[in-house]
Amino acid sequence: MSTETIVGPDGRARCRWSGAAPEFIDYHDREWGFPVSDDRRLFEKICLEGFQSGLSWRTVLAKRESFRAVFHGFDVAKIARFTGRDVERLLGDERIIRHRGKIEAVINNARRARELVEREGSLAAFVWRYEPDAARLARPQTVTTSPEAIALSKDLKKLGWKFVGPTTVYSFMQAMGLVNDHVEGCFIRAEVERSRRTFERPRR
């Protein structure tokens, strides 16, 4: 068996990281790498990747439902109206990661996302322009960023977004299916490829 994979409880080989915690298997099998065009899911993920900065994904995943609750399901319009009072409220909420800069970044990014949608039609249409050429990708899970992630990070920062560094953006791209970074030998890799082949890239 490849050192890049691990056999799960069902006897099937998966990316080795999926064995790091019980809750990772479902996330690995059902979400990670499958292409997403829904603006709310894209916005949620880029925010949660920002919260992960300096922490583990397990920490964030365990709190995901709480994040969804306090941020109104990551509804951009609702978050964009948050005030300083909301920041203080969230800093006192033990269910989430209480980091002022990251909380303020979500609010700021909601406002920037609203502007972007007004101009581009959707967040999805903007993000998917940075999909890399699959033939030119590095071997799965061997890099932490890419030229496309660097470009998307740079352009988001120009638009005023926060906590969107190249590594954060690359993790976002892996999770949202802009790249298929499941390793060779992982049974989900082929499922993701099939999904990517039929996925309609958003234009607006």
Side-chain angles (χ1 to χ4, degrees):
M1 187 183 72
S2 169
T3 57
E4 296 179 333
T5 58
I6 189 169
V7 174
D10 56 1
R12 292 188 286 189
R14 293 173 171 82
C15 298
R16 178 161 290 276
W17 64 261
S18 70
E23 61 269 29
F24 280 3
I25 292 179
D26 190 62
Y27 175 70
H28 170 276
D29 289 3
R30 297 175 181 273
E31 294 187 54
W32 197 76
F34 287 92
V36 173
S37 61
D38 179 77
D39 271 13
R40 191 175 297 202
R41 284 191 60 198
L42 291 167
F43 184 70
E44 172 187 287
K45 185 59 176 172
I46 206 162
C47 291
L48 293 182
E49 290 292 350
F51 272 104
Q52 185 192 347
S53 180
L55 302 170
S56 72
W57 176 242
R58 186 178 188 182
T59 299
V60 177
L61 187 60
K63 295 177 179 291
R64 184 164 67 169
E65 290 306 318
S66 295
F67 277 118
R68 287 171 173 169
V70 302
F71 285 117
H72 301 292
F74 288 91
D75 183 309
V76 165
K78 290 180 179 178
I79 300 170
R81 293 194 294 269
F82 277 20
T83 65
R85 184 177 295 176
D86 292 297
V87 173
E88 296 307 318
R89 172 176 55 81
L90 293 171
L91 284 170
D93 195 322
E94 296 181 355
R95 296 175 297 167
I96 65 168
I97 295 163
R98 294 177 291 173
H99 183 291
R100 181 181 293 275
K102 294 176 181 179
I103 290 169
E104 289 177 342
V106 172
I107 299 168
N108 170 78
N109 291 350
R111 294 168 182 163
R112 304 293 79 79
R114 188 173 57 183
E115 295 165 355
L116 189 152
V117 169
E118 288 174 358
R119 188 175 66 251
E120 306 290 342
S122 70
L123 177 59
F126 180 80
V127 164
W128 276 92
R129 289 177 197 157
Y130 297 82
E131 179 186 9
D133 179 352
R136 300 175 61 184
L137 292 174
R139 192 164 60 86
Q141 297 176 42
T142 60
V143 298
T144 58
T145 190
S146 70
E148 294 80 11
I150 292 168
L152 177 53
S153 169
K154 183 178 179 180
D155 289 346
L156 286 172
K157 287 178 179 177
K158 282 181 181 177
L159 295 172
W161 291 59
K162 308 292 184 185
F163 277 90
V164 287
T167 302
T168 294
V169 168
Y170 188 68
S171 293
F172 163 81
M173 294 172 79
Q174 289 174 299
M176 297 288 96
L178 280 85
V179 299
N180 182 358
D181 229 24
H182 286 274
V183 297
E184 299 290 345
C186 170
F187 87 99
I188 292 293
R189 181 175 176 83
E191 292 193 18
V192 167
E193 275 305 305
R194 283 193 292 272
S195 182
R196 282 176 47 78
R197 280 198 297 272
T198 59
F199 177 70
E200 186 174 340
R201 274 64 177 170
R203 297 294 176 233
R204 275 198 66 77

